[in-house]
Every structure is written in structure tokens, then in C-alpha cells.
Amino acid sequence: MCSLATGNTPSAPACVPATTSGAPPAAADSDLNASVVGDVRLSRYVDEQSGYSVLVPIDWARDQPMANTPEFHPVSEYGGRRFRVEVAPVGRVPGGGQRLLSLVDSETESTVGAGFESPDNYAAVEATKFAPVKGTRAAEVAAKGPGGAVSEILAASQSADGRYYYYEYRTDGIYPLRFFGVAAIGPGQVGSARKLSRRDIVKVTCQVPEKDASEADYELLRAIARSFRAETALP
């Protein structure tokens, strides 16, 4: 796993045992650091700078298309199965809370209209970034246009403590895609941001073209999303 986590990038996060907590145990993540889903072996990738970890298939490659957004995919498979981790600052969380619902009261511009009221709302906001959600007026209009791409929410839930939002959706158009995601409040970047309680939203988005996907692919990506852990932000 260390070669996957660090690659040849000096600034890449270290590969160390995970210490994060807060989400309910995932079936594919019994020992937190290594697991098997179907015939795929996974190991835990840890980003100490941003304070999160997630299971990654041991033979997948890691790219860094932009700062704080590593992407993982099978070697030489660039248009198929993949997932990325996005880290975005949200400043101070009202009341110092850990639950995503706390961000509804935040005055930070990036949290306005982001759907933190519920997992269903958050899933709809995320899906809309790709195509209008089925059942909305925008989707009705889009369905009549070229390509007719619309999104459909398949599942949305939260962990018992409210720290994690899990969601699944698909886009239906010329190139249908299936998505599996999870989001949580991260502890903030190591250094002054974390000391000043300036937190991040950390989000994992897994995707695969439906045309080439199998149930095993869906099971793998769902397990990756469920394995995500964010460190508890100290007050």
C-alpha cells in the first residue's frame, strides 16, 4: 500500500496505520487497514495532512490532477472504474460540531445551498453537478434536449452519529454512469488551520460507466466509499 499511497511524489501523504473513527463499521473494512472485496485486495491510504483515510485496491494507480484531490484507478484504465477524494475548506463549524447538519448554520459561502440539511438533499446537490435530478423541472427540460442526460438518486443515508452522509446515484444519457459517494467534516489541514478550528469537507466520489460495469464493480466501489474515515476534529 505504501507504494500506492506515496508513489514518486515527495509531498504525498504518508502510508501509516489508520486512527480515524466515527463511522459505523463497514462489512468490507473489518480490520480498518486491509480487506478483501470479492477477489480484490485493498489496503488503507492515509492522508495525515488532511486527516482522512480510505481503502484502495492494492494494484490501483494514484494520480494527482489538482491540489488536495488524489484520484485512484486501475493501471491503464482511465475511462472506467475510479474514485477521487476532494478536500474543501469550510471554516469554523457552528458550535464546533462534527455533524454535517451543523453546516446548515454556517455563514461560509461554499456551504450555502450545499445540501447539508439531509443526506437526500446532499445527494441531490451532488447529482445535479452532473445532470438535473429526475422528477425536477430542469430534468424534464433536459430530457427533451440533445443527449437527454438526467440523474437519479438511488440511495441516501447517514451514519448513526450524523458525521457521514452516504449516497448513490446514476446519470442516464449517452454515457450512463453510476456513482457511490460519502462526505464528512474533516479536522482541517495540519498546522494553523487545524489549530484555529478551520475545518474541511472531505468527500469521496466513486464512479464507473454502467455499460461495462458488473455487480462486483458496484460492490467494490460501494465498499470503498463505506471504508472512508475522517479524523475527529478537536474543539
Side-chain angles (χ1 to χ4, degrees), residues 8-34:
N8 297 317
T9 306
S11 59
C15 176
V16 298
T19 57
T20 53
S21 62
D29 194 23
S30 59
D31 68 358
L32 287 181
N33 293 316

Side-chain angles (χ1 to χ4, degrees), residues 14 16 27 36 63 85 94 113 154 162 177 180 182 191 195 198 200-203 213 221 224 234:
V16 298
V36 177
D63 295 331
V85 186
L154 302 177
L177 296 169
F180 303 84
V182 57
K195 291 178 181 178
R198 299 190 181 282
D200 298 319
I201 283 294
V202 187
K203 177 177 63 177
L221 296 180
I224 289 172
L234 299 176

Side-chain angles (χ1 to χ4, degrees), residues 78-81 147 149 170-179 207-212:
Y78 290 93
R81 297 165 297 169
R170 62 183 299 271
T171 58
D172 189 10
I174 296 176
Y175 194 56
L177 296 169
R178 182 72 64 92
F179 295 86
Q207 70 179 73
V208 62
E210 289 188 343
K211 177 182 177 182
D212 304 316

Side-chain angles (χ1 to χ4, degrees), residues 41-116:
R41 293 192 60 80
L42 304 93
S43 188
R44 187 157 287 274
Y45 170 88
V46 179
D47 185 324
E48 292 183 311
Q49 178 68 28
S50 297
Y52 71 83
S53 69
V54 64
L55 286 178
V56 181
I58 60 174
D59 57 352
W60 281 25
R62 174 185 181 273
D63 295 331
Q64 188 80 26
M66 62 184 71
N68 268 354
T69 309
E71 290 193 1
F72 301 89
H73 58 84
V75 176
S76 300
E77 187 178 319
Y78 290 93
R81 297 165 297 169
R82 66 190 304 106
F83 76 91
R84 65 182 178 277
V85 186
E86 300 173 74
V87 181
V90 291
R92 292 177 178 272
V93 178
Q98 307 291 326
R99 301 170 67 235
L100 286 164
L101 183 60
S102 301
L103 290 172
V104 173
D105 297 324
S106 173
E107 297 181 356
T108 303
E109 183 177 353
S110 62
T111 66
V112 177
F116 293 116

